[in-house]
Amino acid sequence: METRELNSNWTYRQVNGSVSGTATVPGTIHTDLLVNKQIEDPFYRINEKSQQWIDKEDWEYTTVFQLSEKEIEKQNLILDFKGLDTYADVYVNDSLFLQADNMFREWEIDIKNVAKVGENQVRIYFHSPIAKGLELLKASPYVYPANNDQSENGGLGDQKVSVFTRKAGYHYGWDWGPRFVTSGVWRPINLKIWDALRIKDVFIQQTSVKKEEAQLLADFSLEANEAFSGEVLLTDKSTGKVMLSKQVDVEKGSTLISIPFTITNPKLWWSNGLGAPNLYQFEAKVIKDNEIVTNYEFSTGLRSLKLIREKDEAGESFYFELNGVAVFAKGANYIPNDNFLPRVSQADYEKVIADAKDANMNMLRVWGGGIYENDIFYDLCDKNGILVWQDFMFACSMYPGNEKMLNSIKEEAKDNVIRLRNHPSIALWCGNNEMNTAWSYFSKDGWGWKELYTEEQREEIQKAYMDIFHGILPDAVSKYTDGDAYWPSSPQAGFAVEKHAGYETSSGDMHYWGVWHGLHPFEDFDKYKARFMSEYGFQSFPDFETVKKYTLPEDYNIESEVMASHQRSGIGNLRIKEYMSWDYKVPADFEQFLYMSHVLQARGIKAAIEAHRRAMPYCMGTLYWQINDCWPVASWSSTDYYHKWKAMHYMVRKAYQSVLLSAFANEGQLKIYGVSDLLESKNAKLSLRLVNFEGKLLFEKEIAVDLVANASRVLYDSSIETLLGDYDKNAVVLQMELKTDGKLIADNKYYFAKPKELLLPKANVEVQIVENEGKYIVEVSTDKLVRDLYLNFKDSDLKCSDNYFDLLPGEKRTLELSGSDIPKPSALQLMHLQQITE
């Protein structure tokens, strides 16, 4: 097969206006307008407001491509549209071939009957998604709930149209994102040319995978123009070994051929922290008369991966078992990396997955208001041992259930399940985000949605829900995978639709938003624990270096119009300030406030992660909201739009290490837990040192302890009164270290009072920048305890290997610098808690 991408000679024009220009494909109308200087940067200041006209217009994209006589003679000429956003009429040489209406679909059209030697034209008419949405809203007997649709920002008043279109929900706005309802060719268009036969897909069913043997079944999906006889081969590309070969007879049209084979002593795929994410590179071929007719290359990893839900004393378990090992899932929720999807580069994908791996994560949840991600995302998760909780693209809304919509969803599910099913990283398919809880059909709870409808309307909406999430989607997973786990909605207390999740449920997964939305204190993370915590979080602002990229100095106030525009949680800015006042001094200085929001966020999520890990095996997963951003904004992210780590991400990296030491106080007792994801138990030594802020050692103790494999255990238990004695709780810190064979494997610090109550002395922090063989390191020391020390090189891309840490007197920290800039001492800025003034 010959394949080439149609990515050149594109132009665009406004159908009912005069705007036009050269286009980039893949791309979006917004980014084309930006490149052609017809709009300003959509993310800068409040430019979003003046750019809402774009989605009300129809746009036409056109290109020409050449075909040779030799190509025209081929039996098959196919245009493969990997992604059209969204209402798109496709014309080839002025013949209408396709009327697409689902952003998440892949579309193929056969252009053989209109193709000609020489120049051929492709013209794509994109209808306004807003105009189409308004038509569907007008035709609907009632409106549907869609809390995050920012229709007011889009100039539509209360007309929420997002639910009628199979398009990324966050394009219509979210509580962390702007409203840019895009149109365009958002994924490649490929011209495919071949004769006789093609392999459309190969799926490796993993019937039974054990360390001794993998029993597999290769499903070959073939398409032939006429009946065909030949040999099918599957080869391990790394060794050249033929895994299977068979003579086959293929009928005209589509044929599925399944051939079993085994691999002895397979190299298993493991998640990050448990082992190597081994992958097999396969090549499938069809051979006739000793010639290769067609081939197909792909990779997969061999593993046994199950969702374990079993009744127990507390309720019902919810955890993932990988190759027979119960895995504590450590990770985050993931959203698209940009509002304008085609400009997310390979480097962006590599950075976000590297950030996850570097923070010791083993799972990301692809959230249901975004997209089924590009192949590279899953390839990188495969290579780095990152499990994927994959939502179908439904979130925080209810959806129409008419025949056209259901058929579209059915094809969408088929396309994406087939595309992604060979990825060993896929751990779970989940129907939707928060719809079961929000609708709460079988209880008096919920978000107040069902009360807006008559009983008859409720039943109609519920039927659509059942058709999609308990019919179409689980059927697709069952039909097109080899037994992948399906979960109807996140959160949910059980598989049955009436199992609505709450903060007290002891089965299923939980989204805990008592902290933040409910104004619960951080200490309540220990009170509300789940079998699997799939969402929770706390906001912070971006770093000042990021804020400077989208603001002017007159915007440097958290309540300015620009800062408010880059904060989509209505309660957000003041909610951060309120929580901050509970634990910290609240600075008046803008830059200090941004810094303090990072420190606060890290403190809250540290409390959550440690609580969840202490609670294993009752709790077997913690996925915070969220790892990334789609634009520069105040949000719950641990890395900002430019992938810059916040304090939280540095903290997460430590909290997600294979071994965790965690101290928690309750009713005057302090318990120190040793939590281990290691698969072997270890004899260890726990060292405790009570130190004052001047560095004086007040108390020291060393205890032999057993660190139990894949478990959480109390290693030390004492009354706080005994530990402190006569020392002032506001002036001391407990330093904890865990060692095996003299090697430090975990450490932590515990303070006996809130940060604003601590009697922190004035500290003199010394910093030296040292060059060694072209690499730069920073050496940091202090004469007094310094808390939450942040080292920032202003207007630079330099990043410290650690940051936002506490430093004890006499302790020297050596930090590696990464980035392309040369560190200048004059550009180094230090911030820490002792500097903060109200």
Side-chain angles (χ1 to χ4, degrees):
M1 181 190 293
E2 177 193 340
T3 301
R4 72 176 190 260
E5 188 174 339
L6 301 189
N7 58 3
S8 58
N9 304 316
W10 286 92
T11 60
Y12 67 90
R13 71 176 187 91
Q14 182 184 16
V15 174
N16 298 308
S18 59
V19 179
S20 63
T22 58
T24 299
V25 169
T28 73
I29 184 58
H30 290 76
T31 48
D32 284 333
L33 293 170
L34 179 63
V35 168
N36 285 276
K37 302 187 186 316
Q38 291 160 332
I39 61 171
E40 296 181 352
D41 181 358
F43 293 168
Y44 186 67
R45 303 195 79 218
I46 55 171
N47 285 344
E48 174 197 3
K49 291 185 177 182
S50 63
Q51 295 178 7
Q52 295 303 306
W53 63 274
I54 299 168
D55 61 33
K56 315 298 187 297
E57 299 292 325
D58 293 353
W59 300 92
E60 189 172 75
Y61 279 68
T62 306
T63 193
V64 293
F65 65 96
Q66 300 289 324
L67 286 173
S68 67
E69 287 188 18
K70 183 179 179 182
E71 289 172 326
I72 286 288
E73 291 172 357
K74 295 287 186 180
Q75 296 178 28
N76 300 280
L77 296 172
I78 297 291
L79 282 181
D80 180 5
F81 297 85
K82 296 295 185 182
L84 294 170
D85 179 18
T86 292
Y87 294 103
D89 299 342
V90 178
Y91 297 83
V92 180
N93 295 336
D94 291 324
S95 293
L96 178 63
F97 274 82
L98 171 66
Q99 291 181 296
D101 60 357
N102 186 325
M103 176 183 178
F104 308 122
R105 290 279 315 277
E106 180 176 349
W107 314 85
E108 286 192 346
I109 59 173
D110 184 350
I111 62 169
K112 175 73 175 175
N113 63 336
V114 300
K116 57 188 180 181
V117 174
E119 190 173 276
N120 293 264
Q121 184 195 67
V122 177
R123 180 164 54 90
I124 308 176
Y125 188 111
F126 288 99
H127 298 268
S128 159
I130 298 305
K132 283 287 190 180
L134 288 171
E135 289 176 13
L136 293 165
L137 174 61
K138 185 177 180 181
S140 176
Y142 41 77
V143 299
Y144 289 82
N147 290 16
N148 287 286
D149 185 326
Q150 297 170 12
S151 55
E152 292 280 354
N153 287 347
L156 301 181
D158 63 355
Q159 298 177 101
K160 299 184 184 298
V161 299
S162 55
V163 298
F164 297 101
T165 300
R166 293 307 300 145
K167 176 175 171 60
Y170 83 109
H171 282 170
Y172 297 83
W174 218 266
D175 60 1
W176 36 256
R179 182 183 175 94
F180 289 111
V181 186
T182 55
S183 290
V185 181
W186 77 286
R187 278 178 172 157
I189 303 173
N190 292 325
L191 174 64
K192 297 179 176 180
I193 306 171
W194 78 93
D195 267 334
L197 179 79
R198 70 163 167 168
I199 302 173
K200 189 172 184 181
D201 179 66
V202 182
F203 173 42
I204 302 298
Q205 293 198 48
Q206 303 190 26
T207 308
S208 172
V209 176
K210 299 177 181 178
K211 64 180 181 180
E212 299 84 9
E213 183 181 79
Q215 297 176 8
L216 310 169
L217 188 66
D219 287 346
F220 298 85
S221 296
L222 307 176
E223 287 189 0
N225 286 79
E226 56 195 29
F228 178 93
S229 295
E231 183 184 14
V232 172
L233 293 175
L234 185 69
T235 304
D236 182 343
K237 286 195 68 181
S238 63
T239 63
K241 181 180 178 182
V242 175
M243 310 306 293
L244 64 84
S245 91
K246 186 176 181 179
Q247 288 293 132
V248 296
D249 294 321
V250 179
E251 298 177 355
K252 181 180 179 180
S254 297
T255 301
L256 176 65
I257 296 173
S258 298
I259 306 173
F261 69 106
T262 62
I263 296 179
T264 305
N265 300 320
K267 295 179 180 179
L268 299 181
W269 185 91
W270 289 95
S271 60
N272 185 31
L274 289 182
N278 296 301
L279 294 172
Y280 283 82
Q281 307 294 327
F282 290 121
E283 182 178 15
K285 303 174 188 176
V286 177
I287 296 176
K288 185 172 184 178
D289 299 330
N290 295 319
E291 290 189 0
I292 298 173
V293 179
T294 185
N295 73 323
Y296 182 94
E297 296 183 5
F298 66 102
S299 68
T300 193
L302 304 182
R303 83 288 185 267
S304 169
L305 182 54
K306 303 173 184 176
L307 173 64
I308 306 298
R309 293 172 45 238
E310 295 175 340
K311 298 292 184 184
D312 57 25
E313 294 177 354
E316 185 178 87
S317 67
F318 191 106
Y319 68 90
F320 295 94
E321 181 188 270
L322 176 62
N323 301 326
V325 174
V327 177
F328 188 99
K330 300 177 294 189
N333 286 259
Y334 167 93
I335 65 171
N337 284 296
D338 203 306
N339 267 81
F340 308 115
L341 289 159
R343 72 178 183 184
V344 181
S345 67
Q346 179 169 335
D348 288 320
Y349 280 112
E350 289 173 345
K351 183 66 168 69
V352 75
I353 299 303
D355 288 343
K357 184 179 180 181
D358 290 349
N360 298 303
M361 295 186 192
N362 59 19
M363 179 174 277
L364 290 173
R365 174 180 176 231
V366 178
W367 165 80
I371 60 170
Y372 307 93
E373 263 297 348
N374 290 337
D375 292 342
I376 186 175
F377 172 87
Y378 304 96
D379 289 340
L380 289 167
C381 287
D382 292 345
K383 292 174 184 176
N384 290 281
I386 306 296
L387 294 161
V388 175
W389 171 310
Q390 178 66 54
D391 280 7
F392 285 95
M393 292 302 115
F394 302 87
C396 299
S397 306
M398 301 303 284
Y399 296 83
N402 57 72
E403 185 177 4
K404 185 176 181 181
M405 174 67 89
L406 296 182
N407 286 337
S408 182
I409 292 169
K410 185 176 181 179
E411 293 303 314
E412 167 191 325
K414 177 182 177 181
D415 282 359
N416 287 285
V417 171
I418 288 175
R419 175 171 70 93
L420 300 179
R421 62 188 176 180
N422 267 327
H423 290 282
S425 54
I426 298 287
L428 177 75
W429 297 89
C430 180
N432 67 72
N433 177 74
E434 296 187 341
M435 289 170 58
N436 181 276
T437 298
W439 183 240
S440 208
Y441 185 74
F442 294 95
S443 80
K444 295 180 180 179
D445 299 319
W447 297 0
W449 289 357
K450 59 183 178 291
E451 289 77 9
L452 303 173
Y453 302 92
T454 66
E455 185 174 342
E456 182 181 2
Q457 290 170 340
R458 286 188 203 180
E459 289 180 2
E460 287 178 353
I461 295 171
Q462 177 67 11
K463 183 180 185 303
Y465 183 92
M466 293 297 294
D467 287 344
I468 298 168
F469 304 108
H470 289 265
I472 291 171
L473 300 184
D475 286 352
V477 173
S478 175
K479 183 175 181 179
Y480 300 115
T481 76
D482 54 2
D484 285 6
Y486 174 80
W487 190 239
S489 180
S490 181
Q492 197 155 317
F495 194 92
V497 67
E498 67 271 16
K499 296 287 188 179
H500 304 306
Y503 293 169
E504 306 293 340
T505 48
S506 59
S507 57
D509 68 319
M510 183 188 296
H511 292 189
Y512 174 59
W513 287 104
V515 170
W516 185 261
H517 288 296
L519 281 173
H520 293 187
F522 291 157
E523 289 77 11
D524 278 6
F525 279 121
D526 191 76
K527 179 179 178 182
Y528 298 102
K529 291 189 282 283
R531 305 313 299 260
F532 193 103
M533 189 68 81
S534 47
E535 261 196 43
Y536 61 94
F538 195 87
Q539 271 202 2
S540 70
F541 291 93
D543 184 89
F544 188 49
E545 298 297 316
T546 292
V547 170
K548 287 191 291 187
K549 293 179 180 179
Y550 65 86
T551 58
L552 293 171
E554 57 259 39
D555 305 322
Y556 295 169
N557 182 311
I558 65 165
E559 296 181 57
S560 70
E561 183 181 18
V562 171
M563 290 300 290
S565 178
H566 289 252
Q567 163 62 279
R568 290 308 163 93
S569 176
I571 60 172
N573 291 353
L574 297 179
R575 183 58 48 93
I576 292 171
K577 192 172 184 178
E578 182 172 1
Y579 268 89
M580 193 182 295
S581 70
W582 298 352
D583 286 356
Y584 295 94
K585 295 176 182 176
V586 179
D589 177 79
F590 178 71
E591 189 174 353
Q592 283 192 352
F593 192 90
L594 300 185
Y595 157 80
M596 281 306 308
S597 77
H598 282 215
V599 171
L600 175 69
Q601 181 191 38
R603 176 177 169 82
I605 302 307
K606 180 178 190 287
I609 290 173
E610 291 194 8
H612 302 156
R613 293 193 68 188
R614 287 195 304 265
M616 74 179 295
Y618 177 86
C619 177
M620 285 297 288
T622 176
L623 308 178
Y624 66 82
W625 185 273
Q626 66 214 64
I627 189 175
N628 61 329
D629 278 325
C630 66
W631 75 315
V633 64
S635 82
W636 295 268
S637 70
S638 61
T639 69
D640 70 21
Y641 173 68
Y642 301 102
H643 306 292
K644 186 168 186 178
W645 287 24
K646 299 180 181 179
M648 174 177 161
H649 208 79
Y650 288 98
M651 178 283 300
V652 165
R653 180 175 62 185
K654 187 173 181 64
Y656 278 168
Q657 287 178 337
S658 294
V659 179
L660 169 72
L661 271 181
S662 176
F664 185 75
N666 185 34
E667 297 181 351
Q669 286 291 121
L670 186 72
K671 293 183 179 181
I672 299 175
Y673 290 75
V675 185
S676 176
D677 294 334
L678 303 175
L679 301 185
E680 293 182 358
S681 297
K682 291 183 177 293
N683 297 321
K685 288 186 178 179
L686 174 65
S687 299
L688 304 178
R689 300 173 73 244
L690 189 68
V691 182
N692 70 15
F693 297 162
E694 308 290 329
K696 183 180 178 182
L697 179 62
L698 308 175
F699 164 85
E700 188 171 24
K701 191 179 186 71
E702 188 172 88
I703 311 156
V705 296
D706 293 324
L707 185 66
V708 180
N710 213 14
S712 169
R713 295 288 187 272
V714 174
L715 303 182
Y716 182 76
D717 187 353
S718 172
S719 72
I720 293 176
E721 185 179 4
T722 300
L723 265 176
L724 284 176
D726 295 329
Y727 299 115
D728 187 346
K729 69 176 184 177
N730 299 312
V732 297
V733 58
L734 182 66
Q735 186 177 23
M736 303 169 283
E737 293 184 344
L738 193 65
K739 293 181 179 180
T740 58
D741 300 322
K743 181 182 177 182
L744 182 69
I745 60 170
D747 68 302
N748 213 332
K749 292 180 176 68
Y750 181 81
Y751 294 89
F752 296 86
K754 291 184 176 182
K756 69 178 182 180
E757 298 167 351
L758 298 177
L759 303 174
L760 296 173
K762 185 177 180 180
N764 179 32
V765 181
E766 301 228 346
V767 180
Q768 282 190 313
I769 301 173
V770 180
E771 182 184 2
N772 183 14
E773 297 181 356
K775 295 183 178 180
Y776 292 91
I777 61 171
V778 177
E779 296 177 345
V780 191
S781 60
T782 179
D783 62 338
K784 307 283 172 49
L785 169 80
V786 62
R787 286 215 62 183
D788 300 299
L789 178 62
Y790 174 45
L791 294 87
N792 176 51
F793 286 88
K794 291 186 284 188
D795 301 315
S796 169
D797 72 344
L798 291 170
K799 175 193 166 188
C800 293
S801 57
D802 198 6
N803 228 324
Y804 296 94
F805 51 83
D806 296 356
L807 198 61
L808 289 168
E811 181 183 359
K812 179 181 282 190
R813 189 72 66 95
T814 300
L815 312 173
E816 296 179 3
L817 289 180
S818 58
S820 59
D821 294 338
I822 296 175
K824 299 176 182 177
S826 60
L828 178 59
Q829 175 189 32
L830 301 180
M831 297 188 77
H832 54 80
L833 214 54
Q834 282 98 310
Q835 297 172 333
I836 302 303
T837 55
E838 294 185 279

